[in-house]
């Protein structure tokens, strides 16, 4: 699956160009678990997503792509599994 945040080679604006997470440490969007020290990472990722102007496009991409890991559009993999039902 292609990474939507990868460097783009064309000049058309894409939703990822407007993402609040651009430039953020990608590790916070991939916490190891939903508890313990990872909870801080999860909360920080969700805070970034909450203020992101393209969070809905991000979530839509993750749902269509079946993204199995990470925080996308402010959701965890478990939350996305629930949304896909």
């Amino acid at each position: 699956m292609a990474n939507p945040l990868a460097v783009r080679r064309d000049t058309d604006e894409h939703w990822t160009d407007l993402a609040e997470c651009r430039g953020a440490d990608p590790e916070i969007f991939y916490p190891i678990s939903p508890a313990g020290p990872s909870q801080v990472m999860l909360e920080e990722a969700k805070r970034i997503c909450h203020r992101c102007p393209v969070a809905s496009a991000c979530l839509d991409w993750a749902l269509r792509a079946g993204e199995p890991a990470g925080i996308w559009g402010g959701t965890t993999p478990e939350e996305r599994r629930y949304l896909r039902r």
Side-chain angles (χ1 to χ4, degrees), residues 28 31-47 71 76:
I28 66 170
I32 295 171
S33 72
S38 294
Q39 182 66 31
V40 174
M41 293 169 60
L42 176 67
E43 290 170 359
E44 176 61 20
K46 285 192 168 205
R47 268 193 297 279
I71 306 302
T76 65

Side-chain angles (χ1 to χ4, degrees), residues 2-25:
N3 181 346
L5 296 178
V7 175
R8 294 180 49 83
R9 296 172 196 254
D10 61 352
T11 57
D12 293 337
E13 188 168 70
H14 189 263
W15 66 264
T16 56
D17 297 328
L18 305 172
E20 188 72 25
C21 61
R22 286 186 75 81
D25 181 356

Side-chain angles (χ1 to χ4, degrees), residues 62-83:
L63 290 171
R64 284 185 291 113
E67 183 57 52
I71 306 302
W72 292 88
T75 63
T76 65
E78 294 78 21
E79 291 166 338
R80 289 191 301 280
R81 278 194 292 277
Y82 178 79
L83 291 171

Side-chain angles (χ1 to χ4, degrees), residues 1-3 7 13 19 30 48 51 54 69 77:
M1 188 68 43
N3 181 346
V7 175
E13 188 168 70
Y30 293 91
I48 291 170
R51 64 180 184 252
V54 294

